[in-house]
Amino acid sequence: MRTSLCAVLFLLSLHGAVPPAQRFGGIWVATFKGVDICTLEIKDDGEKIEGASKDCKVSVDQNGDLIEGEKPDGSGEPEPFLSPKVDGTVLRYQQDEDGTPMKFELHLMGEGKADLHFIGAPITIKPIKFERRP
């Protein structure tokens, strides 16, 4: 019993040793009704984190729930993250949306799962679920 507890504590200590930024690195995709509606490409070197969103077309109803909208056509340029910062399991960043800064928070929800929160958006938008793709 004591050996098992020590093994669990050792594994937990290893998990905490991974720099927070590295937990965010990769390609994150949100889908709605089987269609990719937004892609986040996040890179890190263990000390610096950067990223961009690509092909994001999010349509919501008056309650902030996703609704079917226009499919991204893949022709848009990636929109870089501005001032990305990791705080535990949250990646905070901004993007310039037609001259207006928008704030976002990507919350890790488990292995390969995250929720994107829109901070201070002019309309209600509920968090959007993302999954990391290989």
Side-chain angles (χ1 to χ4, degrees):
M1 176 73 169
R2 185 177 179 115
T3 304
S4 297
L5 181 58
C6 289
V8 169
L9 291 174
F10 175 74
L11 291 173
L12 287 174
S13 70
L14 287 178
H15 183 269
V18 175
Q22 291 181 343
R23 291 183 286 177
F24 289 95
I27 305 295
W28 294 84
V29 180
T31 59
F32 182 70
K33 294 188 176 181
V35 176
D36 293 350
I37 59 170
C38 187
T39 301
L40 304 177
E41 298 177 0
I42 303 173
K43 299 176 186 174
D44 70 83
D45 62 9
E47 294 179 24
K48 180 181 173 188
I49 189 163
E50 57 186 34
S53 63
K54 184 176 179 193
D55 298 327
C56 293
K57 294 281 187 177
V58 175
S59 298
V60 296
D61 63 16
Q62 67 274 10
N63 297 317
D65 293 310
L66 285 175
I67 58 173
E68 227 166 325
E70 184 181 333
K71 284 189 206 178
D73 63 12
S75 66
E77 290 293 317
E79 183 69 36
F81 293 180
L82 305 174
S83 305
K85 291 186 178 27
V86 173
D87 183 11
T89 59
V90 178
L91 169 61
R92 292 181 176 87
Y93 64 94
Q94 294 184 42
Q95 289 186 305
D96 183 22
E97 299 290 326
D98 299 322
T100 303
M102 289 283 298
K103 294 180 180 181
F104 301 91
E105 291 183 352
L106 186 66
H107 294 242
L108 293 178
M109 303 305 291
E111 185 61 37
K113 298 189 182 301
D115 285 351
L116 183 67
H117 297 253
F118 297 74
I119 308 303
I123 60 171
T124 300
I125 304 173
K126 291 182 180 173
I128 297 175
K129 299 193 177 306
F130 279 76
E131 290 190 4
R132 186 181 354 232
R133 293 215 175 135

